[in-house]
Amino acid sequence: MEQVLSDENSQPAITSEESKDSFVINTMRAIKTKEMLAEVLELNGWQSTVNAGEGDCFWCGPNDHEGYPEIVTTKAEAAYMRFPNAERVTDKNELGFLMNYMRMSYPEEYNFVTRTFIMPSQEAQLKAAMAENKEVTWICKPSDGNGGDDIELVNEFHEISEQMLKIEFVAQEYITKPYLIFNKKFDLRIYVPLFGAEHMNAYICEQGIGRFCAIHYQEPTAENKK
């Protein structure tokens, strides 16, 4: 365990006096986010450490999971940035597969799920669906994308970019008349970790996120969908 958690850049241990009035973030796994974290620490007057077992919060950036499960077990009372491998939950291809399965198994309960195709494995089915009605708009999203980057709206298969066709992505029938608040699109995020299967416990985080678009929604047209 000590060998896994050791760090060649380890710092002198933080004393109880130093940590009494300061929030301490353990950044030993913040490989790709060190510059951003340095600014946050300076702005808030917080401290950092790279020593195993120290800190009030353990930071783990995207894809920085090496040794993270071992770190999580070292200090149960500390806060942790994320669950190990939590990005699997947001993989759009895997989520699309699961939602399709649930829609097929429970059609009435999951009738809110629009037609979803996992690419490239369902290319033939997507082409057939697009050929049925060229007026239908489809939204294509990279499987590992986030923040709305590289999303494409298309009506026909040949409109999908070559760049998109080279990667894994999902294609979903676009909801052209979504529910709006003050004519703006929005999403609400409520975090609920589940524990167990046969006897399941759910814990709802008291803090959620509400995000609203800055401009009014417009239905997709040939002019605005690009």
Side-chain angles (χ1 to χ4, degrees), residues 83-111:
F83 290 104
N85 301 313
E87 72 279 359
R88 294 288 299 274
V89 179
T90 61
D91 183 278
K92 294 177 179 60
N93 272 21
E94 294 195 23
L95 178 60
F97 173 83
L98 293 173
M99 296 304 284
N100 281 341
Y101 177 83
M102 297 303 290
R103 183 183 180 186
M104 180 177 61
S105 302
Y106 308 97
E108 294 185 4
E109 291 83 355
Y110 282 80
N111 60 6

Side-chain angles (χ1 to χ4, degrees), residues 116-149:
T116 301
F117 296 92
I118 312 302
M119 293 293 290
S121 61
Q122 294 184 313
E123 179 176 326
Q125 295 94 315
L126 177 60
K127 286 181 176 179
M130 287 182 166
E132 291 176 1
N133 186 350
K134 296 181 181 180
E135 298 299 319
V136 174
T137 300
W138 298 82
I139 182 169
C140 301
K141 298 176 285 187
S143 182
D144 60 353
N146 63 81
D149 293 337

Side-chain angles (χ1 to χ4, degrees), residues 7 12 21 24 31 35-36 38 40 54 79 90 96 100 108 110 112 153 157-158 179 185 188 195 206-207:
D7 192 296
D21 300 318
V24 181
I31 299 174
E35 293 184 4
M36 181 272 292
V40 173
E54 290 186 355
T90 61
N100 281 341
E108 294 185 4
Y110 282 80
F112 63 91
L153 294 180
F157 191 86
H158 69 83
Y179 184 76
K185 294 187 73 173
L188 304 176
F195 294 88
E206 294 182 352
Q207 295 180 335

Side-chain angles (χ1 to χ4, degrees), residues 1 68-76 80:
M1 178 69 74
Y68 189 64
E70 290 83 2
I71 296 172
V72 170
T73 64
T74 63
K75 193 174 182 182
Y80 294 89

